[in-house]
Structures are given as structure tokens and as C-alpha cells.
């Protein structure tokens, strides 16, 4: 095992360059300390806008920023690309798989774990193959590929009985991500109408499924109802009160009924990172680390866990897994460490200040709740747009996203409808690859019928 060199100034190791980790690093910018931020990706992702990449509204580079670039002006901070695989609490070391070496140890005086969460298939990990989740830029690009490829396949498919499965999109989970994604898909299909000749993209079926009795469970009932009405107007089929029983390559089974679909997207739940297991610390039922009022781990005042991977109650309720919690906790942990290093008294216990919750439901419509205020419609959408622009990591992204949104709002044109194969083959690709061993000879090749434009099909049907 190799060890990365230690320095004389106290070393603060931050694992994770998401909302929590970045906020912690920034809070330490004036501190006489060696700050090392480690992330397995070289970029910070603005997860609330991932669905816009998945539905071709924005491109990946508009919602992600290289961590190194974000922290370039912070001279006391080193950024490492690496995957942390464990923590030795008593030896005060983390273990990292670097691009060229594995199990490298790095000593710390203070440790902040901000490793976020991943998808949760609630005991059905076999669903993951057919129903990808949305957590990273790679996920968003992969989902975009699937959606766009489904339209391409439908355009080339002569057998109309197969169009149904190709143009049915199922979203499992009607929380904010599922609702935002379903509505964005409904907007996408409208914008594709003029580009296809043999299929009508607006005939696509978008099905949103949840076992809960209403969409947007964390919001007030009146806002859930407003979001539901808006989804109905957009043509999204909402199925509530039943969980998905089965998912395979041909679709889903819900309440005993099979819905044929080649594109199923999992937006149902998240599971925390394994930080609790590394630390052998007390965890809640979901596996999040139960932290002290100062966000440290019991018995280890030098280790802090923040964001989606931490568990803390406030006035009897667990803090939600949202960006604001992670950012405020990151800022708090960074400030606390700074004060310890300079010999100042610790700040009072962490308290989350809820600035409100929002979800966007298609073009120009959002729901917003903050304190007693409940708002839905265009004004809420303006507030949503302003807040999301404000929290993007860099000013160039703010300008670029603002211009893109305005352009899209005025012209209806999408940002990025590219099919880019970043990933290993998707299940569709693998099926294609399986079939590749029996490629027919050209003589026996099936012939694609002369394109029959949608208009002609519609005229014939009259
Ligand atoms: C699709 C989607 C939409 C969302 N929409 C909203 C929204 O509208 N509003 C809102 O407030 N919240 C939203 N959230 C939730 C919000 O994004 C999270 O609560 C927030 O990102 C949590 O911040 P974090 O710092 O704990 O984790 P993250 O931001 O997830 O960051 C974790 C970081 O740790 C890194 N990492 C993980 N494990 C390791 C390891 N072993 N080694 C090295 N690096 C590691 C990851 O690469 C990542 O960069 C959304 C989440 C998703 C997935």
C-alpha cells in the first residue's frame, strides 16, 4: 500500500464534490489548512437539471462543471480524481483508488464525507438493467439515447403494432424527478413532431406510475393537485396507488396489467452511499449515518458526514435529501473546522433553514411552497428558473442555460438531440449485438418500405 505525502498544516479531506462537498471546501478557503477534495468524477453535477439533459433541453456541459475549475482560485485546495473505498477511523486515513493505483492511503486531521446517494430499487436490483435511474451525467445521456433511439426505431419500423411499445415511455416514481421528467418528455414529443415523417411523435404514450395516492408526495395537497392537472393537460397518463410488480425488456407489469414499453425510467428512490459501513457508525433504517448536532460522527469529533448520506432530525422530522440541506451542512462543517483550527469557539448546533421546495411541470409551469406560501403556474416557474440559475456552479453556465431556456421558450427548439454512445451497450444494444451473429445475406435483406408520411397515413385513415 502506498501513502500520499502528508503536510505539516492540518489536512482536511473532503470526499465528494457534490453540493455538500463543494460548499464545505469553499467555507475553508481562508483556512490555514491543506484541503484535499476527492471525487470519483472530475465534475460537479447540478442534479436538479439532469432531467433536462435526459430530455434534450440542455447539453451535459451546461449543467456540470469541472471541480478543478470551480476551485481553481482556492490556493489551499487540491483536487484528486479517485474513488474512496474505505476509512480507517483510528488511523485517520482514507483509502483511494486512483486512476493508476489502487488502495492508496491518505491521512487526515479532519474528514468530511459528502458522498451522496445512488439509486434504490427497493430490493429489486434486477430492475436496474431495464429501468435506468437518473443520477449522473452519464445516466442522463444514456436515457436521452434510449428515448431518441426509440423514436428512430419507430420511424424505421413498418409494423405499426410495434410502434406502441417503442413509443410508450414509463416512469416509475411520481416524486419531483418523475413528475419533472414526465412533463419534460411530453414537451419533447411535441417539439419532435415536425422532424418525423412516418410516425407521429405526439402519439407517444407517457405513463407515470407510483404506489402513493398522489403525485409530488412531499408537497402540499393543493400543489399535488395542480401538478396532476397540469400533467393531465400535457397528456401524461398518471397511475397511482399501485407499485410496479415486474420490469423486463418488454415493459412493466402494474396491478396485474402489462404495459409494453421499450423505455422504462426509474425515478423512485435513492439509497445513501456506503459511508456508514466504512465508519461502522450508527445508521438510520435507510443506511444514512446518524450524525450529532454538529454533524460529526458519535465518538469522532474529527469526522463529519453531510448531505444525502447523513441522517439528522429537526423538530421531529428527518431532514430531506435536497441540495439546500447538503449545501448548508457543507458550509456548517467547513466553518466549524475553520473555527477549531483558529482556536475560536464552535458554532451553535446545525439548523436547516428551509428556503422552500419547487418542481417544474412542463414549459412555463411550476409549483412552489415556502413557509405558508403555495404557488403554482407561471410565477412559480419564474421563481424556479431564477433559483436554479443562481445555484449553477459557474457564471458561464448561468449565462448559457439562461440563453438556452429563452431560445427554447421562444422557438420551441431543443438544445441537444444527439444520440451519443458513452456507455457500454444498453439492453437494446445488447439485443442488437446478439442478433448480429446471424446477419442475413444482402440478397435476403428485408426491404424498407417507401416512407409513408404521417400526413398520408392520416389522410388514408379518413
Ligand atoms: C435527478 C435528481 C433531481 C434532483 N432535483 C432536486 C431539486 O430539484 N432540488 C433539490 O434541492 N434537490 C434535488 N435533488 C437532490 C439533490 O441533488 C441532492 O440532495 C444533493 O445532490 C445532495 O448533495 P450531496 O453533496 O450529499 O451529494 P451529491 O451532490 O450527490 O454529491 C456526491 C458526490 O460524491 C461523489 N462520490 C460518491 N461516492 C464517492 C466515492 N466513494 N469516492 C469519491 N467520490 C464519491 C460523487 O461523484 C458526487 O460528486 C435531485 C437529485 C436527483 C438525482
Amino acid at each position: 500500500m502506498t501513502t500520499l505525502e502528508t503536510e505539516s498544516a492540518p489536512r482536511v479531506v473532503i470526499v465528494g464534490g457534490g453540493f455538500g462537498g463543494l460548499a464545505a471546501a469553499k467555507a475553508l478557503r481562508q483556512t490555514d489548512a491543506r484541503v484535499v477534495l476527492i471525487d470519483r468524477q472530475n465534475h460537479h453535477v447540478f442534479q436538479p437539471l439532469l432531467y433536462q439533459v435526459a430530455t434534450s433541453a440542455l447539453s451535459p456541459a451546461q449543467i456540470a462543471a469541472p471541480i478543478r475549475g470551480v476551485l481553481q482560485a482556492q490556493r489551499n485546495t487540491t483536487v484528486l480524481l479517485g474513488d474512496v473505498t474505505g476509512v480507517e477511523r483510528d488511523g485517520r486515513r482514507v483509502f483511494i483508488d486512483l486512476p493508476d493505483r489502487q488502495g492508496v492511503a491518505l491521512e487526515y486531521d479532519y474528514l468530511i464525507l459528502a458522498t451522496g446517494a445512488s439509486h434504490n430499487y427497493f430490493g429489486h436490483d434486477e430492475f436496474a438493467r431495464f429501468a435506468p435511474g437518473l443520477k449522473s451525467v452519464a445516466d442522463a445521456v444514456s436515457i436521452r439515447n434510449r428515448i431518441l433511439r426509440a423514436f428512430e426505431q419507430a420511424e424505421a419500423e413498418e409494423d405499426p403494432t410495434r410502434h406502441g411499445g417503442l413509443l410508450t415511455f414509463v416512469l416509475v416514481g411520481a416524486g419531483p424527478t418523475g413528475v419533472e421528467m414526465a412533463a419534460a418528455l411530453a414537451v419533447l414529443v411535441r417539439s419532435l413532431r415536425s422532424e418525423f415523417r412516418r410516425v407521429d411523435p405526439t402519439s407517444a404514450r407517457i405513463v407515470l406510475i407510483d404506489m402513493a395516492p398522489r403525485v409530488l408526495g412531499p408537497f402540499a395537497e393543493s400543489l399535488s393537485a395542480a401538478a396532476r392537472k397540469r400533467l393531465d393537460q400535457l397528456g401524461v397518463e398518471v397511475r397511482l396507488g399501485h407499485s410496479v410488480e415486474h420490469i423486463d425488456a418488454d415493459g412493466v407489469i402494474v396491478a396485474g396489467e402489462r404495459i409494453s414499453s421499450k423505455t422504462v425510467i426509474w425515478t423512485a428512490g435513492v439509497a445513501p452511499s456506503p459511508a456508514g459501513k466504512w465508519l461502522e457508525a450508527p445508521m438510520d433504517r435507510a443506511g444514512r449515518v446518524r450524525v450529532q448536532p454538529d454533524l460529526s460522527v458519535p465518538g469522532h469529533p474529527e469526522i463529519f458526514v453531510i448531505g444525502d448520506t447523513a441522517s439528522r432530525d429537526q423538530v421531529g422530522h428527518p431532514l430531506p435529501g435536497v441540495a439546500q440541506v447538503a449545501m448548508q451542512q457543507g458550509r456548517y462543517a467547513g466553518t466549524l473546522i475553520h473555527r477549531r483550527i483558529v482556536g475560536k469557539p464552535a458554532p451553535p448546533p446545525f439548523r436547516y433553514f428551509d428556503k422552500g421546495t419547487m418542481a417544474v411541470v412542463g414549459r412555463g409551469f411550476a409549483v412552489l411552497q415556502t413557509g405558508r406560501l403555495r404557488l403554482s403556474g407561471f410565477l412559480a416557474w419564474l421563481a424556479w428558473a431564477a433559483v436554479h440559475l443562481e445555484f449553477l456552479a459557474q457564471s458561464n453556465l448561468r449565462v448559457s442555460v439562461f440563453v438556452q431556456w429563452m431560445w427554447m421558450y421562444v422557438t420551441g427548439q431543443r438544445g441537444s438531440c444527439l444520440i451519443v454512445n458513452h456507455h457500454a451497450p444498453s439492453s437494446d444494444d445488447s439485443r442488437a449485438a446478439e442478433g448480429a451473429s446471424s446477419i442475413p445475406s444482402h440478397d435476403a435483406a428485408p426491404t424498407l418500405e417507401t416512407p409513408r408520411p404521417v400526413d398520408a397515413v392520416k389522410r388514408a385513415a379518413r
Side-chain angles (χ1 to χ4, degrees):
M1 182 187 302
T2 43
T3 305
L4 288 182
E5 210 175 88
T6 52
E7 308 279 345
S8 53
R11 171 171 282 159
V12 185
V13 171
I14 302 170
V15 187
F19 285 105
L22 262 193
K26 287 180 182 172
L28 286 159
R29 66 186 173 281
Q30 309 281 11
T31 311
D32 185 15
R34 301 249 127 214
V35 180
V36 181
L37 189 148
I38 309 163
D39 202 300
R40 53 161 68 129
Q41 306 179 123
N42 85 328
H43 51 272
H44 165 84
V45 184
F46 192 79
Q47 291 173 13
L49 291 179
L50 274 174
Y51 80 93
Q52 295 215 357
V53 173
T55 52
S56 299
L58 296 173
S59 68
Q62 287 177 299
I63 65 150
I67 298 170
R68 201 172 286 293
V70 176
L71 296 173
Q72 62 180 320
Q74 205 163 306
R75 303 301 304 167
N76 66 350
T77 303
T78 303
V79 178
L80 287 182
L81 178 67
D83 200 338
V84 169
T85 54
V87 177
E88 189 182 277
R89 287 178 317 180
D90 299 330
R92 296 195 177 187
R93 301 192 298 173
V94 296
F95 301 101
I96 320 161
D97 285 351
L98 295 170
D100 61 339
R101 284 168 291 160
Q102 296 209 323
V104 176
L106 176 65
E107 293 175 358
Y108 62 79
D109 298 289
Y110 297 95
L111 175 65
I112 301 176
L113 293 176
T115 38
S118 58
H119 316 299
N120 187 355
Y121 287 87
F122 305 113
H124 286 285
D125 288 350
E126 72 277 11
F127 290 172
R129 205 172 137 224
F130 308 108
L134 185 59
K135 192 73 193 154
S136 64
V137 166
D139 293 337
V141 172
S142 167
I143 289 173
R144 186 182 72 189
N145 284 349
R146 279 179 183 237
I147 293 169
L148 296 177
R149 204 184 287 125
F151 283 105
E152 295 298 339
Q153 275 180 258
E155 179 82 338
E157 176 60 65
E158 278 102 5
D159 180 358
T161 61
R162 297 189 63 191
H163 285 169
L166 285 169
L167 294 187
T168 297
F169 301 93
V170 174
L171 295 114
V172 185
T177 303
V179 166
E180 292 186 332
M181 180 86 195
L185 254 172
V187 176
L188 169 69
V189 299
R190 283 165 172 73
S191 70
L192 292 179
R193 191 167 31 190
S194 61
E195 297 179 16
F196 287 81
R197 302 290 174 264
R198 291 155 51 107
V199 290
D200 177 3
T202 58
S203 67
R205 187 176 167 204
I206 301 161
V207 187
L208 179 64
I209 301 171
D210 203 302
M211 64 186 297
R214 60 188 174 99
V215 300
L216 294 182
F219 287 72
E221 280 192 31
S222 59
L223 295 182
S224 286
R228 171 71 195 261
K229 193 169 161 205
R230 179 71 175 169
L231 287 168
D232 291 343
Q233 287 165 353
L234 287 167
V236 175
E237 208 178 298
V238 182
R239 299 225 175 171
L240 299 172
H242 294 287
S243 58
V244 165
E245 291 149 25
H246 182 73
I247 306 180
D248 58 28
D250 295 320
V252 304
I253 297 179
V254 59
E257 182 198 340
R258 176 169 277 282
I259 301 175
S260 294
S261 168
K262 293 291 175 198
T263 315
V264 182
I265 302 162
W266 189 262
T267 53
V270 291
S273 77
K277 290 182 191 143
W278 297 338
L279 296 170
E280 295 171 8
M283 292 182 262
D284 66 9
R285 276 175 41 207
R288 301 182 304 164
V289 179
R290 295 287 308 168
V291 291
Q292 304 278 85
D294 68 353
L295 310 181
S296 67
V297 173
H300 284 273
E302 76 287 3
I303 303 178
F304 300 85
V305 182
I306 59 172
D308 279 4
T309 213
S311 164
R312 176 99 208 126
D313 293 350
Q314 192 164 297
V315 284
H317 297 287
L319 291 176
V322 296
Q324 271 301 326
V325 170
M327 287 161 82
Q328 290 178 29
Q329 290 186 334
R331 232 170 276 137
Y332 178 92
T335 307
L336 188 150
I337 292 171
H338 173 83
R339 292 179 74 89
R340 276 205 209 148
I341 289 173
V342 299
K344 288 192 180 165
F350 173 78
R351 276 199 76 75
Y352 169 55
F353 175 61
D354 185 359
K355 294 183 179 169
T357 321
M358 291 179 241
V360 69
V361 196
R363 213 164 90 148
F365 188 100
V367 293
L368 177 162
Q369 76 180 43
T370 171
R372 290 192 180 171
L373 178 69
R374 311 272 180 267
L375 198 61
S376 62
F378 187 67
L379 264 187
W381 181 80
L382 281 181
W384 172 89
V387 167
H388 282 66
L389 286 173
E390 185 192 341
F391 286 109
L392 276 165
Q394 287 176 317
S395 8
N396 61 326
L397 302 187
R398 278 173 223 133
V399 175
S400 158
V401 170
F402 176 74
V403 171
Q404 179 66 39
W405 281 348
M406 287 304 112
W407 180 256
M408 233 163 36
Y409 195 81
V410 175
T411 67
Q413 286 173 11
R414 316 297 296 176
S416 173
C417 283
L418 309 182
I419 299 176
V420 186
N421 290 318
H422 280 302
H423 265 332
S426 69
S427 52
D428 278 356
D429 293 336
S430 357
R431 276 202 302 277
E434 279 161 24
S437 57
S438 58
I439 295 172
S441 77
H442 286 156
D443 291 345
T447 316
L448 193 65
E449 272 179 26
T450 312
R452 206 164 170 223
V454 173
D455 291 348
V457 175
K458 281 182 185 158
R459 272 200 305 276
R462 269 194 219 126

